[in-house]
Amino acid sequence: MHYHISKNDLSDFDKNIRREWVLTNGLGGYAGSSVLGAHNRTHQAYLIACLRPPVSRYVVFSKTNESFVQGGQQYDLTTAMHFDHQIADGYKYLEAFDYDGTVCFTYKASTLTIKKYITLVQRENTCAIAYEIENSSDETAKFCITPLMNFREHSDNVTADSFDFEESCLDKSFTLIPKADKSVAITVAFSDGKLNKRSDLYDCDMQLQTEVDNEVDGLDTHYMPYDITFEIPADSTYHFSLACNVTVNDKQVFDDKCIFSKEIDSEFAFACRNKQLEYIDSLIETANFSDQFASDLAVVANQFLAYRQSTGYMTVLAGLPWFTDWGRDTMIAFTGLTLSTRQYDSARDILLTFSKYVKNGMIPNMFPDDGQDPLYNTADASLWYFYAAYNYLKYIKEDKLLDSSEYEKACDFIKKEIYPCLIQIVDGYKNGTDFSIYMDDDCLIHAGGGFDQVTWMDVRVGDWVPTPRHGKPVEINALWYNALKTMEFFATQFGDNPDEYVSLADKVKQSFVAKFWNENDNCLYDVIEDGDKPDPTIRPNQIYAVSLPFTMLPSDKEKAIVDVVNEKLYVGVGLRSLDPDHKDYHPIYLGALAKRDAAYHQGTAWGFLLGGFVTAYTKVYGPTPSLLDAVKEHLTMGCIGSISEIFDGDLPHTCRGCYAQAWSVGEVLRCYTEDLIK
């Protein structure tokens, strides 16, 4: 995997400040910025440490600014925007940006060529920066690195009066202990040079373009206690390493092992980078794709897998930079992220993680970032859990690289650990559970009421619910049928009597076919509202009645649904959430939160919906690889190598929301490998 952006393509500040990159450490911690080196949103830094994986994420190490003096002239490589759009234009020296699972900025100024490599260490809150500086002159250059430090929750911002640290220094390191949490120690170590105390301690009013786009001030401040200075000899190539590490109560948050030391040599950060590249190679080797696009997505998919300290198992972060592990997103993304990539141990962990939290026949909708109890306000996450479990067995059975005994072990795992949870979920939905979720007399599932938003279209703005969808949503009942057929499969597999599931599935099918077909529009109603009133709004949810493994409609109706969705909703990078001819259609997701919420499910296009669409389209028309051409182009336009959460419904379909979304990546990878390159 390698993405390269050259100098000519980096010259436009307004364009490139919105092109981003992200690195992750497998704990929920991450790093990110723009391809220019200037931050553009609150959730960006070189190290956002995770204090209780995968939550409690704190900006600790914002970035480094570099400058040097040679021949009596100073060169400042800093790129940043400050209040009132004041730009530090160090990007004019930027020759290239490269992303390969690590990040490299290449600068050329005077006679120096500077390569700055940024790496996150797996399973540690450690960022390593390797500098390779070539001086082709016969003059020495004096180089200066200024670390910008912080300690704030990753969605907050701070001012200068917010900083209060206990500080200590050694010859080649300094440590900051925030008085707000003395269990945390932030240490910066470097391989050479001198540590110089600064008189100007604060970088104030850094302005973040994405936050400005969202109609807020977008200002942040960072603490700059020290400069690190060293000399680059004439006619030499110089290696320098710098690293920032965070411990909690003198320990790593994952285990007590740490490759970090307060004394590091010049090759330390280079070794960290090489180790990370080896790790990436192992991901590609395990996935075993011969296709480059699939291999690249297999690496990106791994960014969403994180260790959950509370269970000791792996989980899925729904989106970067701000989401934690959401049940719905996890189960939709699950197949692509873990099964397509052959990460079966992680798949098992994820299924186990959610099995530990089944309550009243439901799995959690989300685990809050503040460590509070899980929330269960979802009707579909539990039903997607059946889909994930079914695919787990299917993929292992069909994997020709595995010994046949692995399928027997997988069956035993599902039978002992997951099947009892699935029985609980079916019973909960049949007999009724929270949030007005229950099986009605027609055997279809009713969900939601009042202000409860329990489908994926879940925005609420005060007392306004833009997409209530209360009643019997189409995708919930497609998933309900699929869950019952999955239980029929499992019961048969495990020697139980499947008759109950067979009978109930037949009744669901009869009711679904009778009530959901919209003769006027030749597609499915979106919801059967209370009182059996059908909602004819054309939305993408109906695609799952075609794409799921077990479906209920004849082939001519499946084709008709695909045609309507293709004509009205498909936009290359996703499916619109609403027919553009509808009076409530909002084409652009931008501005203050209320404006964005009004568009979120009322026209905004969603990347994850491509998975169901491509599978459904393939089912009725055969493989059509061009369906994903726009996604391939997008990989260098938003977050380099990844797929965004959402896009504007109208051209040019600008990417918005989370710059990297688990179910967008997972579903594109799944449908690409299942349907387009079999």
Side-chain angles (χ1 to χ4, degrees):
M1 181 180 72
H2 188 189
Y3 295 90
H4 174 80
I5 304 175
S6 63
K7 184 178 182 66
N8 289 341
D9 199 20
L10 290 167
S11 61
D12 185 335
F13 183 89
D14 288 339
K15 170 186 174 183
N16 287 295
I17 190 65
R18 294 174 172 86
R19 297 169 81 183
E20 304 175 79
W21 56 267
V22 68
L23 307 173
T24 63
N25 65 6
L27 295 174
Y30 61 98
S33 188
S34 74
V35 299
L36 295 177
H39 292 346
N40 67 22
R41 65 172 80 223
T42 303
H43 302 81
Q44 286 186 338
Y46 286 0
L47 179 58
I48 297 176
C50 196
L51 307 183
R52 289 189 301 108
V55 296
S56 296
R57 292 175 283 184
Y58 278 74
V59 172
V60 294
F61 178 36
S62 178
K63 60 180 300 195
T64 55
N65 291 336
E66 292 81 22
S67 63
F68 68 92
V69 175
Q70 187 179 43
Q73 184 172 350
Q74 180 166 348
Y75 300 85
D76 192 347
L77 309 184
T78 301
T79 303
M81 187 168 76
H82 286 81
F83 179 69
D84 202 22
H85 206 74
Q86 297 297 311
I87 298 172
D89 62 354
Y91 71 95
K92 67 187 178 185
Y93 300 115
L94 190 58
E95 288 289 309
F97 170 87
D98 290 270
Y99 181 91
D100 58 5
T102 68
V103 164
C104 179
F105 293 96
T106 302
Y107 298 90
K108 286 189 178 181
S110 185
T111 62
L112 265 60
T113 300
I114 302 107
K115 288 184 177 292
K116 174 183 176 180
Y117 298 96
I118 303 172
T119 302
L120 284 194
V121 176
Q122 289 298 306
R123 299 296 183 95
E124 285 189 26
N125 285 316
T126 300
C127 174
I129 305 180
Y131 292 87
E132 182 177 275
I133 306 172
E134 181 183 350
N135 184 1
S136 61
S137 167
D138 57 4
E139 285 191 82
T140 296
K142 186 176 181 180
F143 207 83
C144 177
I145 300 172
T146 305
L148 277 62
M149 311 305 295
N150 215 311
F151 184 73
R152 63 167 173 82
E153 200 276 333
H154 69 151
S155 60
D156 289 341
N157 49 37
V158 293
T159 55
D161 58 5
S162 303
F163 297 113
D164 194 4
F165 294 108
E166 294 179 0
E167 299 184 22
S168 62
C169 296
L170 297 174
D171 187 36
K172 296 293 187 292
S173 68
F174 66 89
T175 297
L176 305 177
I177 297 176
K179 291 183 180 179
D181 187 348
K182 292 188 177 182
S183 70
V184 175
I186 307 162
T187 299
V188 173
F190 53 97
S191 59
D192 194 11
K194 295 181 180 180
L195 192 65
N196 305 302
K197 185 69 177 178
R198 292 173 54 92
S199 57
D200 180 10
L201 296 177
Y202 305 104
D203 178 80
C204 296
D205 293 336
M206 180 186 287
Q207 193 162 43
L208 308 168
Q209 184 61 55
T210 297
E211 312 305 336
V212 175
D213 292 344
N214 292 336
E215 299 181 5
V216 297
D217 290 338
L219 301 178
D220 199 15
T221 297
H222 306 283
Y223 183 49
M224 306 184 300
Y226 303 100
D227 290 330
I228 302 165
T229 58
F230 51 93
E231 291 188 347
I232 311 298
D235 297 315
S236 68
T237 298
Y238 189 87
H239 279 194
F240 179 90
S241 286
L242 181 148
C244 179
N245 170 264
V246 175
T247 57
V248 180
N249 291 320
D250 298 323
K251 296 181 179 180
Q252 296 298 299
V253 295
F254 177 65
D255 57 33
D256 292 334
K257 296 177 182 178
C258 179
I259 64 170
F260 180 83
S261 168
K262 291 183 181 181
E263 295 183 1
I264 63 175
D265 62 22
S266 61
E267 299 304 311
F268 173 85
F270 292 92
C272 290
R273 178 174 183 263
N274 290 336
K275 186 175 181 180
Q276 179 65 12
L277 293 177
E278 290 172 2
Y279 175 67
I280 289 169
D281 286 344
S282 73
L283 296 174
I284 294 170
E285 183 178 357
T286 298
N288 196 42
F289 294 128
S290 58
D291 180 274
Q292 187 65 54
F293 180 54
S295 293
D296 288 354
L297 287 185
V299 176
V300 173
N302 188 71
Q303 292 182 333
F304 303 101
L305 302 183
Y307 172 74
R308 172 162 275 282
Q309 195 173 57
S310 64
T311 62
Y313 299 123
M314 297 297 287
T315 189
V316 171
L317 298 180
L320 298 166
W322 52 76
F323 285 132
T324 54
D325 34 0
W326 288 60
R328 173 191 300 121
D329 299 56
T330 295
M331 297 310 148
I332 292 174
F334 175 86
T335 300
L337 297 189
T338 66
L339 302 182
S340 298
T341 60
R342 304 184 66 251
Q343 299 288 338
Y344 298 127
D345 288 344
S346 292
R348 176 189 171 100
D349 273 8
I350 291 162
L351 292 174
L352 277 172
T353 290
F354 283 86
S355 74
K356 306 302 181 185
Y357 290 95
V358 174
K359 178 182 177 183
N360 299 332
M362 301 171 71
I363 68 168
N365 185 31
M366 70 168 293
F367 294 88
D369 205 6
D370 59 6
Q372 299 298 311
D373 290 339
L375 304 179
Y376 288 83
N377 55 328
T378 170
D380 49 355
S382 302
L383 299 177
W384 280 111
Y385 195 40
F386 291 81
Y387 175 77
Y390 176 81
N391 279 347
Y392 176 76
L393 284 191
K394 175 177 177 288
Y395 267 74
I396 289 178
K397 184 176 183 179
E398 295 177 356
D399 191 333
K400 296 178 181 178
L401 298 179
L402 293 179
D403 186 270
S404 59
S405 63
E406 293 300 319
Y407 181 66
E408 296 174 7
K409 294 177 184 176
C411 286
D412 187 58
F413 163 69
I414 293 292
K415 180 178 180 180
K416 290 181 178 178
E417 301 290 348
I418 308 303
Y419 184 53
C421 298
L422 301 182
I423 292 173
Q424 290 181 51
I425 294 169
V426 170
D427 289 344
Y429 276 61
K430 280 173 56 182
N431 300 320
T433 184
D434 302 331
F435 304 103
S436 301
I437 298 170
Y438 60 85
M439 186 177 74
D440 209 346
D441 293 341
D442 57 6
C443 297
L444 298 176
I445 296 298
H446 177 283
F451 292 128
D452 291 336
Q453 293 286 83
V454 295
T455 73
W456 75 275
M457 293 183 163
D458 56 2
V459 165
R460 174 181 167 185
V461 184
D463 291 339
W464 177 45
V465 179
T467 51
R469 306 188 73 232
H470 298 145
K472 299 166 185 173
V474 63
E475 81 281 11
I476 300 300
N477 283 285
L479 285 162
W480 174 233
Y481 178 80
N482 190 77
L484 293 171
K485 297 298 287 184
T486 298
M487 289 302 286
E488 175 188 338
F489 168 79
F490 283 154
T492 303
Q493 179 81 29
F494 303 145
D496 289 347
N497 187 343
D499 290 351
E500 174 191 0
Y501 305 115
V502 172
S503 174
L504 187 51
D506 286 344
K507 293 174 183 176
V508 171
K509 180 176 181 178
Q510 289 178 353
S511 295
F512 187 93
V513 172
K515 294 189 175 185
F516 273 97
W517 186 250
N518 177 355
E519 196 68 42
N520 288 335
D521 294 317
N522 212 28
C523 61
L524 295 175
Y525 293 118
D526 188 56
V527 184
I528 305 300
E529 298 174 351
D530 293 340
D532 266 4
K533 178 184 176 182
D535 174 8
T537 304
I538 295 176
R539 295 190 183 275
N541 307 298
Q542 60 187 301
I543 203 68
Y544 292 112
V546 184
S547 68
L548 288 167
F550 303 100
T551 55
M552 298 170 275
L553 298 168
S555 59
D556 61 328
K557 285 186 167 61
E558 291 186 330
K559 180 178 180 298
I561 291 166
V562 170
D563 289 343
V564 168
V565 171
N566 186 34
E567 177 187 354
K568 296 284 189 179
L569 306 178
Y570 171 67
V571 296
V573 287
L575 299 186
R576 294 186 181 107
S577 47
L578 182 65
D579 177 0
D581 294 330
H582 195 282
K583 62 181 179 60
D584 293 328
Y585 176 72
H586 287 66
I588 307 297
Y589 181 88
L590 189 64
L593 182 59
K595 294 178 183 178
R596 286 177 281 138
D597 280 347
Y600 204 38
H601 301 117
Q602 297 285 70
T604 295
W606 290 73
F608 86 93
L609 294 167
L610 280 177
F613 175 71
V614 169
T615 296
Y617 194 99
T618 300
K619 185 177 182 181
V620 301
Y621 284 114
T624 310
S626 61
L627 290 172
L628 295 180
D629 283 353
V631 177
K632 294 179 180 180
E633 294 179 10
H634 165 66
L635 295 185
T636 58
M637 299 308 296
C639 181
I640 302 301
S642 196
I643 305 174
S644 299
E645 176 190 13
I646 52 177
F647 304 82
D648 288 341
D650 281 3
L651 288 169
H653 307 303
T654 301
C655 55
R656 310 284 188 188
C658 280
Y659 51 62
Q661 191 78 357
W663 60 5
S664 298
V665 172
E667 273 295 88
V668 167
L669 180 56
R670 179 200 60 78
C671 74
Y672 185 66
T673 54
E674 282 187 358
D675 302 316
L676 302 183
I677 58 166
K678 288 182 177 179

